[in-house]
Each structure stands twice: as C-alpha cells, then as structure tokens.
Amino acid sequence: FQSFNLLPRTTVLRNVMLPLLYTDTTAAEREERARQCLGYAGLEESKYGNFSNQLSGGQIQRVAIARALINNPAIILADEPTGNLDTKTSQVVMKAFQDLHREGHTIIVITHEPEIAGFAERVITIRDGVIESDIQK
C-alpha cells in the first residue's frame, strides 16, 4: 500500500501482530513472531509500544514491511521498499530480504536505485515497458 494502512490507535507491535489474529497461533507466538519481523525490518525495540503518529515516515515503512513478513509468505513483492529509508536502514532491510531469500522465499524488489538492485542475485532492467537487460550474478 502507498499509505501503509497502519491502524492509528494500535501500537506498532499490535499492528504487526494483527494478521495473525486470524490464525491458530497463541498470543505469545504472535508477539514473538512480530518482534522477529520488526527486528528483520530494523525497527528499534523502543518503538514497539508507539502509535503510528509517533513515528517517522521511514519507521512507519519498516512497520509495514514487518507486517508483510508476519505470515511467512513464500513470495514477497516489494515496490520501493527502501523509498523512505536512510542508507543504513535500507541496507538492513535489503540484508533481511537476502536472508529471507536464503531461507527459500522468493523476493521481487522494484526499485529505481542501482545500489538497492545490487543486493539482488538477478537484476532485470526495464525501460519504457521493454526489458533492457537481464543480469544474473
């Protein structure tokens, strides 16, 4: 989502846990998985009790990334996942994606940033709707 759709009256931790409410996981398991996903996304633990209006744009984006990871998806489609993040945090997120890929997840990242594309094993460059290059490392 472009706006990330966090629930404003719900803490960061609870926003990430929300998709698990519809599963058979216990409250303790939901919290543990949410903390793990927030760690993958590079959000500081001190922010887990905050509400979205208490976060920066980049922090909100990291919460949304963590929420997307919570159900352990086989395929992750990430459109500009580092768009609002600083360089250091962008690297944390991209390294987390690399770890997830090594664990067997398919990660598709759309980016305009060559540095971010450099994290991928395969880079397909598209210009004006036409494949310009397809490079596999």
Side-chain angles (χ1 to χ4, degrees), residues 114-129:
E115 183 179 326
I116 296 303
F119 282 88
E121 290 182 6
R122 181 178 180 190
V123 177
I124 300 171
T125 304
I126 299 174
R127 186 178 307 277
D128 298 325

Side-chain angles (χ1 to χ4, degrees), residues 15-35:
N15 262 289
V16 176
M17 291 169 47
L18 186 63
L20 294 178
L21 289 177
Y22 305 103
T23 67
D24 60 356
T25 56
T26 67
E29 290 170 323
R30 289 192 297 267
E31 182 171 340
E32 181 182 331
R33 284 177 56 186
R35 288 177 177 280

Side-chain angles (χ1 to χ4, degrees), residues 7 9-19 21 34 38 48:
L7 298 176
R9 290 183 224 150
T10 305
T11 66
V12 163
L13 190 61
R14 291 192 182 274
N15 262 289
V16 176
M17 291 169 47
L18 186 63
L21 289 177
L38 284 161
Y48 293 5

Side-chain angles (χ1 to χ4, degrees), residues 41-133:
L43 191 70
E44 313 84 51
E45 193 167 341
S46 63
K47 302 291 183 187
Y48 293 5
N50 288 22
F51 297 96
S52 57
N53 67 347
Q54 299 169 311
L55 302 174
S56 70
Q59 290 168 332
I60 290 170
Q61 186 166 356
R62 286 181 269 169
V63 174
I65 289 169
R67 187 183 55 200
L69 298 175
I70 196 75
N71 278 317
N72 198 25
I75 299 173
I76 298 168
L77 303 172
D79 185 4
E80 296 288 354
T82 61
N84 293 323
L85 306 179
D86 60 44
T87 302
K88 180 182 174 191
T89 306
S90 294
Q91 290 175 352
V92 168
V93 168
M94 293 310 298
K95 286 179 182 171
F97 282 163
Q98 285 178 321
D99 291 343
L100 289 166
H101 177 67
R102 280 190 284 278
E103 293 172 10
H105 299 266
T106 298
I107 315 287
I108 300 170
V109 175
I110 293 87
T111 185
H112 291 92
E113 299 179 48
E115 183 179 326
I116 296 303
F119 282 88
E121 290 182 6
R122 181 178 180 190
V123 177
I124 300 171
T125 304
I126 299 174
R127 186 178 307 277
D128 298 325
V130 177
I131 294 177
E132 196 171 81
S133 67

